[in-house]
């Protein structure tokens, strides 16, 4: 089966990150940057996003030339500035606090899919405001042409736009979120119960990401858990979740399947891919690693969990 | 291969436990109670411990009659009281504080192995003072008759008797400890690095237990990780580590093997067994569950980690 294309909608921005060990500024960031680069290792990847006139041409070149991303859905607002995010990770990386968000160009963003992209069979709604995620869904076909839709989110949207997010859940196929977010959304601290509860809230498939501890998959055909890859050079977890989601949708597009076995393999590829992201600030390690490094870690993960 | 016997040395005591949800007093506790019951599901199990004259006969009957434990190594101090431990679990069970220990009978304990037990091929040194663990090792044969020795510990002994514990490590084959303890001992917060460091400190094999997140196995032949069983009825984690260690030594004795494949299976049986322990206070669920419940959970664990 040949690879199908996937579509990634999310932010492209400039980040400032503070970890217990270091800090860095003006980094290429945003959910779509991480997710699309990750997806590009598996399938042709289309990007819907917006940046301001200040977006560095070098970053645009990296996305298009180095990773072959189709940027026909990337709007440049000539009068606006690029989205900015700054965050601070807590001691031992157990949780992240968003310190500041300046939406900038995203304030007037209205995601419009190029007409030829509307039949993209695999869609990732990155961790954007749910209103944007809804607007993309409104442009996708229904019925038998319906794509497979994966949505991600972050704590900010649960706090600020909870109802929009709850309305989104029945409209998607797979919801991926971290353990802290699953607690915020369900009030349930036990991740197994939280996962079951989330499935009742709409999505057929739920993945709860436990950061350095791995991830849990709740699927109609079964339950699956995978330990995180044993990273020893931990630098910055920013973008780990986005890379995870990107690799997930990219892998599914590459095999054009969404059954339990395929989703389990996708979880392992997502785990392998995001383990590279955390080994540097921004997308540097993810971008330089290449597919071979991902495949190597996938093989190691398969071996180290083989009973 | 027929099952070989195993020997468990540890405390038998009366516990008081406070969790975020409930508290309970005068419970059958102590590392040997949990470990020996867990081991008894796999292999003939011998117990070395001490209790006071106040030890309830009903508890003794449970250990001997219900679980078939050989109590020839259990001393009763006619003038002493039984060991007491009280502990408090933090919110979301992420860590435990020992509130009080009264050693009582253990103050004058000097573990003496019945002569016919000295060639027991599989030995678990439960989470006792390292001095006691050393004293047991001193009575075991060297050279080709050397048994396979697994040792466990708890935070208290790392704080109070660190040097004794460090001297123990080169004398054992497998060291099992939790993530917090591995940080205390190695100063290393990354469990992968901590595991490697611990192996350099003596034991050929190291297992780091991450509680509700699962466990990591560091073995000369490879690395293995297993998610915890997805418990949804969490009551009290006391004894989880002891049950884990007991099932581990019991399974290894039952197959009379200690190669990488056997240790991986032992980790899965230990995970399954300890998941039962946390579903009640004291040993009640562990004691009532039976081998069939353990085998069922082992099967589920194997399925839910199958890529």
């Amino acid at each position: 089966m040949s690879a199908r294309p996937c579509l990634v909608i999310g932010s492209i921005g400039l980040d400032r990150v503070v970890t217990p060990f270091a800090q860095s500024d003006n980094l290429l960031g945003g959910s779509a940057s991480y997710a699309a680069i990750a997806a590009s290792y598996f399938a042709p990847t289309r990007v819907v996003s917006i940046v301001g006139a200040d977006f560095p041409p070098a970053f645009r070149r990296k996305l298009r030339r180095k990773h072959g991303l189709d940027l026909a859905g990337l709007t440049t607002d000539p009068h606006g500035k690029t989205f900015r995010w700054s965050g601070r990770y807590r001691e031992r990386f157990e949780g992240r606090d968003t310190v500041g968000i300046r939406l900038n160009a995203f304030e007037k963003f209205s995601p419009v899919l190029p007409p030829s992209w509307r039949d993209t069979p695999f869609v990732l709604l990155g961790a954007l405001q749910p209103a944007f995620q809804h607007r993309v869904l409104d442009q996708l076909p229904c019925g038998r042409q319906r794509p497979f839709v994966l949505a991600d989110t972050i704590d900010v949207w649960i706090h600020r736009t909870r109802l929009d997010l709850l309305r989104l859940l029945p409209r998607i196929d797979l919801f991926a979120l971290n353990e802290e977010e699953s607690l915020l959304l369900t009030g349930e601290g036990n991740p197994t119960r939280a996962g079951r509860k989330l499935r009742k809230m709409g999505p057929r498939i739920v993945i709860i990401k436990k950061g350095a501890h791995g991830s849990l998959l709740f699927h109609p055909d079964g339950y699956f858990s995978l330990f995180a890859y044993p990273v020893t050079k931990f630098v910055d977890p920013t973008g780990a979740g986005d890379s995870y989601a990107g690799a997930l949708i990219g892998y599914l597009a590459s095999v054009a399947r969404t059954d339990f076995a395929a989703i389990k393999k996708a979880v392992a590829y997502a785990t392998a891919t995001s383990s590279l992201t955390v080994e540097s600030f921004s997308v540097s390690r993810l971008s330089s690693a290449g597919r071979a490094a991902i495949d190597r870690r996938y093989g190691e993960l398969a071996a180290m969990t083989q009973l």
Side-chain angles (χ1 to χ4, degrees), chain A residues 247-285:
Chain A
L248 201 66
I249 204 75
Y251 174 77
L252 293 175
S254 78
V255 295
R257 280 171 45 198
T258 63
D259 55 293
F260 188 38
I263 306 261
K264 291 201 287 185
K265 284 205 167 63
V267 163
Y269 275 109
T271 300
T273 306
S274 60
S275 77
L276 293 161
T277 298
V278 304
E279 293 185 349
S280 72
F281 278 109
S282 185
V283 299
S284 17
R285 179 84 173 98

Side-chain angles (χ1 to χ4, degrees), chain A residues 16-211:
Chain A
R16 174 181 157 77
V17 177
V18 180
T19 78
F21 304 123
Q23 62 177 65
S24 203
D25 215 337
N26 285 312
L27 301 164
L28 174 57
S31 55
S33 301
Y34 289 100
I37 293 176
S40 74
Y41 287 122
F42 301 92
T45 303
R46 300 162 172 177
V47 179
V48 175
S49 193
I50 189 170
V51 292
D54 59 344
F55 187 66
F59 286 166
R60 190 186 300 261
R61 270 197 305 275
K62 179 177 207 125
L63 295 173
R64 190 171 50 208
R65 298 217 190 128
K66 175 147 194 213
H67 295 286
L69 301 175
D70 188 338
L71 300 182
L74 175 62
T75 305
T76 303
D77 176 357
H79 310 296
K81 287 189 161 178
T82 300
F83 169 79
R84 285 192 175 256
W85 177 83
S86 68
R88 177 184 298 272
Y89 286 84
R90 291 177 217 146
E91 211 189 329
R92 292 176 70 183
F93 295 101
E94 283 179 347
R96 174 187 66 189
D97 299 301
T98 294
V99 176
I101 288 188
R102 267 179 287 158
L103 294 176
N104 295 336
F106 271 92
E107 294 205 40
K108 20 184 184 166
F109 184 46
S110 182
V112 177
L113 270 51
S116 66
W117 285 12
R118 297 197 179 174
D119 61 354
T120 312
F122 292 86
V123 173
L124 165 61
L125 305 174
L128 275 184
Q129 291 94 309
F132 295 149
Q133 297 177 315
H134 279 288
R135 217 164 294 156
V136 172
L137 288 179
D138 294 340
Q139 297 170 56
L140 297 172
C142 303
R144 288 188 53 209
Q145 298 300 310
R146 226 184 135 265
F148 180 88
V149 177
L150 158 60
D152 190 6
T153 196
I154 54 169
D155 54 349
V156 191
W157 312 127
I158 301 178
H159 288 299
R160 296 192 190 170
T161 59
R162 188 184 189 92
L163 288 177
D164 279 357
L165 186 59
L166 292 177
R167 279 199 308 114
L168 184 81
L169 298 185
R171 302 187 72 189
I172 61 173
D173 300 278
L174 197 170
F175 189 36
L177 72 177
N178 72 31
E179 193 170 12
E180 205 172 25
E181 290 150 7
S182 77
L183 169 66
L184 280 175
L185 256 178
T186 65
E188 183 56 77
N190 179 304
T192 308
R193 285 205 297 255
R196 291 182 192 157
K197 216 161 171 177
L198 284 165
R199 284 196 60 225
K200 290 191 183 133
M201 292 161 77
R204 208 166 55 85
I205 311 167
V206 169
I207 292 173
I208 296 183
K209 297 168 289 173
K210 292 159 66 83

